[in-house]
């Protein structure tokens, strides 16, 4: 995951200010006024081209990222929207490159008294083009700001914790993590995925706390729920599904069991189902624990770690061509 390396995307005015400063420096190096104007135009256009190209190149090729991150982009903005803005920036960069010579030539062959006017006209056209992609630059910077906050999901044995909201998922991860758990979160609204770690026989185990998912048709699920499902499908090497038979979470057990059946149909990894809040009630069919008191928590973790035997790192996906 290389999103943390994406630099701030400049605004249209920042791109132009940078270009004009560089152009002014070039202009000062030429004593001949007309030649100075020519240098000014060429330098400004080249600076805009180079900066816009650097913006495009700073975004990683999405198809080379793990599927989880591809899903996040699709859920939050859609891949097509991201491609559209990157394409718009690419168009402006190409325009600057293609018109640099011609507009500098107009200045070169203008009369002495018209050279300044020709220079201003060339810069005005450049400014107009760059401001046409202002919304795209702003959008890309918003995307950059969120992508940089995505937690790093490592290629180690990973336990994803799932279930309805408020059933005890976060409490479980905090129970089994160290006293000062290593966590990272990215709240897009009020909730986000949390990555915690547990060390088993000197090996790092990754635990993913997912936002709660409700039992409802996929089309009705919000972006947070869809992110949780992506983590369940794409990251889990083993899945812990927590039930709250007491319904203190605010949802009846029947709905929670229907979601469990849906999740079972989505994954092909081992699933451990546990009834939480054992101090309140239990379900005969499933083991119990209490993340409040800690009762049964270690036993559930041990049942999950059994599935680590034979785990191997995932093979890197071959990059595709012509992708973002």
């Amino acid at each position: 995951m290389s999103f943390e390396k994406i630099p701030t995307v400049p605004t249209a005015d920042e791109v132009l200010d940078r270009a004009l400063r560089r152009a002014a420096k070039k202009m000062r190096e030429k004593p001949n006024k007309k030649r100075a104007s020519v240098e000014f135009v060429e330098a400004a256009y080249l600076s805009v081209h180079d900066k816009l190209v650097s913006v495009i190149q700073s975004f990683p090729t999405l198809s080379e990222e793990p599927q989880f991150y591809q899903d996040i982009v699709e859920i939050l903005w859609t891949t097509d929207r991201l491609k559209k803005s990157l394409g718009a920036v690419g168009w402006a960069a190409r325009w600057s490159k293609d018109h640099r010579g011609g507009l500098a030539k107009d200045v070169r062959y203008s009369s002495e008294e018209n050279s300044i006017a020709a220079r201003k006209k060339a810069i005005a056209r450049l400014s107009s083009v760059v401001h046409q992609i202002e919304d795209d630059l702003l959008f890309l910077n918003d995307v950059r700001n969120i992508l940089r906050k995505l937690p790093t999901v490592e290629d180690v044995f990973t336990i994803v914790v799932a279930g309805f909201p408020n059933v005890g998922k976060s409490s479980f991860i905090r129970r089994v993590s160290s006293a000062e758990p290593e966590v990272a979160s990215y709240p897009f609204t009020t909730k986000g995925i949390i990555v915690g770690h547990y060390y088993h026989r000197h090996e790092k185990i990754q635990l993913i706390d997912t936002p709660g998912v409700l039992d409802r048709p996929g089309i009705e699920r919000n972006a947070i729920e869809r992110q949780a499902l992506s983590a369940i499908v794409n990251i889990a090497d083993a899945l812990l599904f927590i039930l709250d038979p007491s319904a203190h979470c605010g949802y009846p057990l029947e709905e929670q069991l229907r979601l469990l059946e849906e999740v079972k149909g989505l994954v092909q990894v081992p699933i451990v189902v546990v009834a939480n809040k054992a101090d309140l009630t239990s379900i005969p069919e499933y083991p119990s624990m209490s993340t409040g008191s800690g009762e049964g928590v270690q036993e559930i973790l041990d049942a999950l770690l059994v599935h680590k035997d034979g785990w191997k790192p995932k093979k890197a996906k071959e990059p595709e061509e012509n992708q973002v």
Side-chain angles (χ1 to χ4, degrees), residues 22-74:
R22 295 196 171 193
K25 182 180 179 181
K26 282 283 187 181
M27 189 177 184
R28 287 193 296 270
E29 297 172 356
K30 302 295 180 182
N32 180 277
K33 289 185 178 181
K34 181 178 285 191
R35 184 57 192 166
S37 290
V38 172
E39 288 285 342
F40 187 93
V41 170
E42 290 183 338
Y45 273 66
L46 180 61
S47 177
V48 166
H49 170 267
D50 291 349
K51 188 58 182 177
L52 295 182
V53 168
S54 74
V55 167
I56 298 169
Q57 293 177 339
S58 70
F59 279 78
T61 301
L62 190 59
S63 62
E64 295 178 6
E65 298 296 327
Q67 188 61 48
F68 170 68
Y69 295 115
Q70 296 184 44
D71 285 355
I72 294 299
V73 171
E74 186 64 33

Side-chain angles (χ1 to χ4, degrees), residues 242-248 253-254 256-257 273-290 295-296 300:
I242 300 180
L243 298 168
D244 175 10
S246 73
H248 273 60
L253 180 60
E254 293 76 15
Q256 298 177 55
L257 291 171
V273 183
V274 61
N276 192 24
K277 307 179 184 178
D279 50 325
L280 299 176
T281 187
S282 61
I283 311 174
E285 306 96 288
Y286 300 111
S288 298
M289 70 175 181
S290 171
E295 174 190 350
I300 295 302

Side-chain angles (χ1 to χ4, degrees), residues 51-160:
K51 188 58 182 177
L52 295 182
V53 168
S54 74
V55 167
I56 298 169
Q57 293 177 339
S58 70
F59 279 78
T61 301
L62 190 59
S63 62
E64 295 178 6
E65 298 296 327
Q67 188 61 48
F68 170 68
Y69 295 115
Q70 296 184 44
D71 285 355
I72 294 299
V73 171
E74 186 64 33
I75 290 166
L76 295 176
W77 306 286
T78 76
T79 305
D80 286 345
R81 177 69 179 87
L82 180 58
K83 285 183 176 181
K84 180 181 178 182
S85 285
L86 288 171
V89 174
W91 163 79
R94 289 190 300 274
W95 187 94
S96 300
K97 180 180 179 181
D98 293 345
H99 290 77
R100 173 190 171 200
L103 289 166
K105 186 177 179 180
D106 289 345
V107 176
R108 181 180 295 113
Y109 290 105
S110 63
S111 62
E112 285 290 340
E113 58 271 20
N114 291 331
S115 62
I116 294 177
R119 183 187 77 202
K120 290 181 177 180
K121 180 180 177 181
I123 297 304
R125 290 191 64 186
L126 180 64
S127 176
S128 175
V129 167
V130 174
H131 277 104
Q132 285 183 52
I133 60 166
E134 169 76 354
D135 289 345
D136 296 292
L137 293 171
L138 292 173
F139 169 75
L140 290 173
N141 195 53
D142 288 342
V143 172
R144 172 260 184 194
N145 290 338
I146 291 178
L147 291 181
R148 281 171 56 88
K149 296 177 184 178
L150 293 176
T152 299
V153 177
E154 301 176 61
D155 193 7
V156 298
F157 183 76
T158 301
I159 298 168
V160 171

